[in-house]
Structures are given as structure tokens and as C-alpha cells.
Amino acid sequence: MSATLHRREVVAELLAERGELLVVAGLGSTAWDCTAAGDDDLTFPLWGAMGQAAMMGLGLALAQPQRRVLVVTGDGEMLMGLSSLATIGVQRPANLSIVVIDNGRYGETGMQETHTAHGVDLAAIARAAGFADARTVRAAGELGALRAAIHAHPGPNFASVKVRVEKLPIILPPRDGGLLKARFRRALLGASADLQ
Amino acid sequence: MNAPQAVGVDWPLEVHGALRGAGITIVSYVPDAGHKRLIELCHADPAMRCVPLTTEEEGLGLATGAWLGGERSVLLMQSSGVGNVINVLGTIKECRIPLPMIITMRGEYGEFNPWQIPMGQATPAVLEAMDVIVQPALEAKAVAPAVDAALRLAFNGYAAVAVLISQRVIGIKSFQEQAAQ
């Protein structure tokens, strides 16, 4: 069954009227997707640390239990950090959601197939690891419910959203790691964060 | 001299106090026999959230997220785990994330397992190659002061700092001794 959803439309819908949502964007295509939806001080787009997006989400969720935290990452990035799903399953942060934009490809390196293109089921793995909600999304009609879950459903929540293989314009966020960190902390914690 | 925590210095208790004093609220770890008591002390502390990891690099992701959210964390691991964190140390440096690591050494001094020796011997060089500040603690009474200094360096300097606790301090000399921990 080939995917029909467009990744930019999916991410734009999930981040629409995001309110106080804190976002970690995995390196590569998902960072460009989140930037295309609107660069935001409360998005931390990654340019490296492949495999660590979910763990950054966990750290943020534990530090900010009153805020909702969303990790948007790719299937290749999630596969590299697969065991972090087990670590998150032990901590069970109710405010954390992980959405994998799953095109079954390594998009930045020549569109080679990832393991999900061969049937590896990320949602089943997340469910087995103890996520409260783990689903695979294939239709546009399911995105509203996923967005609602990200904002309100007791987590940890996981979704693999199957999207088309597409070559899209690269929309770059700032790339200075110190700047991205500082702007996020200032927006979240106030100017006093600069003095911590 | 061979017994753990010899010479009457309860370094895990002192280190736990240093972590409390520095406002550490999140403690992540991959277990090591040398960290057994410190891990237990942190788990028993209601002010600390303990996060067992499946692999050490998860601790760097966790520390980054925690710092973005305004909390201070520390990572406990064994020297063999240093090889697992190299690439993510690049992100820690680029983003200037405070990252105190407390590392118990294997393959360093009187090691009984030859498979531990290559990574143990390479540990300081590997860390320094990634610009981590390395502070050895060669005896029990030196551990807590080294941790206290490392916490200051990490959070005042937005830096990655590793305290390497020598096998002289841990004192485990055989599989049997390790299993009896």
C-alpha cells in the first residue's frame, strides 16, 4: 500500500495553532518540514545527534511536566535511536508525543530504503515498549485526532505517519547550535535563563 | 585496600551530596558495579528523577532536553560507555550544553578482563579529542571534590566535563568480587 500523505501538509497540520507546544525536530527532512511550517523559538531543530531526538523530547518532558512536548522526526532517525523507546516506556511521561514522518527512506543521503520500507513496524515497537498510545496514520482524516492527542492525550504517545517519497525544497532553520539553544531557553524560561 | 570504599571514605554519599548541592534533579545512568551505591542513593532521593538508559548516548540526548527545559542533569556510566557517546558529544559542544559525567574506570588499573583494556586505556584520549574536560580522581577522598569541581565547570562554563574515578578507588579485582557486589 503506497502512502498518499504529503509530509509538509502533515507537519503543517500537526503544528497548526500550536500554542505552548514545545517541539524537537529531528535532523534532515523533519527539521525542514517544521521550519516550512514556521520557524519558532520553541522549536529545537537538530542538525546532528542522529538517534537522539526522542531522548531530547524525554529530557524536555521531564523538565517541563506542565507543558506538552512533541518530537517530530524521521524513520531513519528513529531507527537509530530505537532503544530510546524502551527508556521512554519506563519513564512514561504523560506530556510527551513522538511523531515519525515515515517515508521509508533516508532522504538526505540518496533516498535509500530504511527498515520501515521492509515492514519494520515502529508503532508496534512503541506499543511493546509501553507507550500509552501508538498508532500508524495513513489518511488525512486521522490527522485531526492525532493533533488533539498531541495536545491533550495522556502519553507517552507515538505515531508513525506514512508519507509519500518526495523531493522537496529545503527550508533551513538557523544552524548555530548555541543560538538555537539560547533562543529556546529564553522563550521558555524567560530572560533569566541567560543568567543560569 | 582491595575492598570497595576502602579507607573509610564514603565517596558515593559525598558525591550524592555534591549533586544535591549543585541542584541536580535528573540522574541518568547505565549501571556499573562501581556506581551501585550512588545509584541507590539517587533513587532514594525524592528530589532526583533517575533515568536508567539502554545505552550511554541516550544520556546526552536527555541532558540536552533537560537543559532546554531548565533542569540540571548528570550522567553516570562506566568507561566502556565513552565509546558510545562520541558523535553526540559533537552536539553537546556545538550547542554548549552543560554535561557533567561521572565515569567509573575499567581496563585502567589491575583489570582482570582483557576485553575491557582497549577502551579503558583510550578513554581519556577519546574524551579529550571531543573537547571534554577530563578530571581524574585517583583515590576515594578525591572523588567528591572532583565531582564538585566538575559540576561547577560544567554549569558555569556550559561545558562537557568528565570525572574519571580510578579502578584504584573501585577496587574490584575479579569476576567473583564483582558478582558479590
Side-chain angles (χ1 to χ4, degrees), chain B residues 67-78:
Chain B
W67 183 246
L68 287 175
E71 292 293 329
R72 294 180 167 205
S73 70
V74 68
L75 170 58
L76 315 180
M77 63 176 173
Q78 180 188 116

Side-chain angles (χ1 to χ4, degrees), chain B residues 149-168:
Chain B
L151 292 165
R152 292 171 195 276
L153 272 173
F155 291 105
N156 290 336
Y158 311 103
V161 186
V163 174
L164 304 184
I165 303 176
S166 172
Q167 255 180 309
R168 296 168 177 84

Side-chain angles (χ1 to χ4, degrees), chain B residues 9 15 38 54 66 73-74 78 96 104 112 144 164 175-176 179 181:
Chain B
V9 175
V15 169
L38 179 57
T54 67
S73 70
V74 68
Q78 180 188 116
R96 300 193 71 205
T104 46
F112 59 89
L164 304 184
F175 285 112
Q176 292 75 14
Q181 274 268 298

Side-chain angles (χ1 to χ4, degrees), chain B residues 60 77 82 85-95 99 101 126-128 130-132 160-161:
Chain B
L60 279 62
M77 63 176 173
V82 168
V85 306
I86 299 168
N87 179 52
V88 188
L89 283 171
T91 291
I92 297 294
K93 179 183 177 184
E94 165 60 21
C95 298
L99 179 71
M101 296 178 279
V126 165
L127 289 168
E128 284 166 356
M130 292 305 291
D131 262 1
V132 176
V161 186

